[in-house]
Amino acid sequence: MSILAALMMLQSAAPAGDEDTILVLAKRLEQIEVSIAQDDKGRWSCSLSQSSGHKRVDDRLCRTATACFRANGDNREEMIACMSNSRGNILEEFRRRHARQSR
């Protein structure tokens, strides 16, 4: 699923006031660079170039990036595709959580 398609689905599902919050988050996700590393003991670490502004989203982004790297290795094209597909899911989870908290 493309980011644009995910945003369109989120816009139609979100109350008017929530659209801006979700669009801002989507824009931030596009700008974040994720670095994944593995130490000599096999432990994975992740760092973000900047925060999305939401701890749960940052955590999910790191877990997703690590899973994508483990599945695709250092194949850049596959990593980009994996992360692009996953960002829509991360946005949808945020939208659902945000809607519950706004009630």
Side-chain angles (χ1 to χ4, degrees):
M1 173 187 317
S2 72
I3 294 293
L4 181 58
L7 287 175
M8 290 173 63
M9 287 186 338
L10 289 172
Q11 284 180 344
S12 64
D18 292 341
E19 286 180 28
D20 291 337
T21 301
I22 293 166
L23 290 174
V24 167
L25 177 59
K27 190 70 165 173
R28 283 183 186 158
L29 287 179
E30 290 176 1
Q31 298 171 350
I32 295 173
E33 293 182 23
V34 183
S35 297
I36 304 295
Q38 188 175 25
D39 68 16
D40 57 348
K41 295 182 180 179
R43 294 178 294 208
W44 292 92
S45 64
C46 170
S47 62
L48 304 176
S49 60
Q50 61 184 342
S51 174
S52 68
H54 303 275
K55 183 172 176 19
R56 282 187 170 181
V57 172
D58 291 350
D59 290 342
R60 175 65 194 261
L61 189 57
C62 272
R63 283 186 277 123
T64 299
T66 301
C68 286
F69 185 82
R70 292 176 81 171
N72 300 296
D74 59 358
N75 183 318
R76 184 170 174 77
E77 292 79 25
E78 292 294 323
M79 277 294 295
I80 290 170
C82 183
M83 290 302 296
S84 293
N85 290 335
S86 299
R87 282 189 175 114
N89 295 333
I90 292 169
L91 284 170
E92 176 59 22
E93 285 178 19
F94 175 81
R95 184 201 61 78
R96 285 192 310 258
R97 206 170 42 251
H98 186 70
R100 281 193 307 264
Q101 293 172 349
S102 297
R103 290 183 194 164

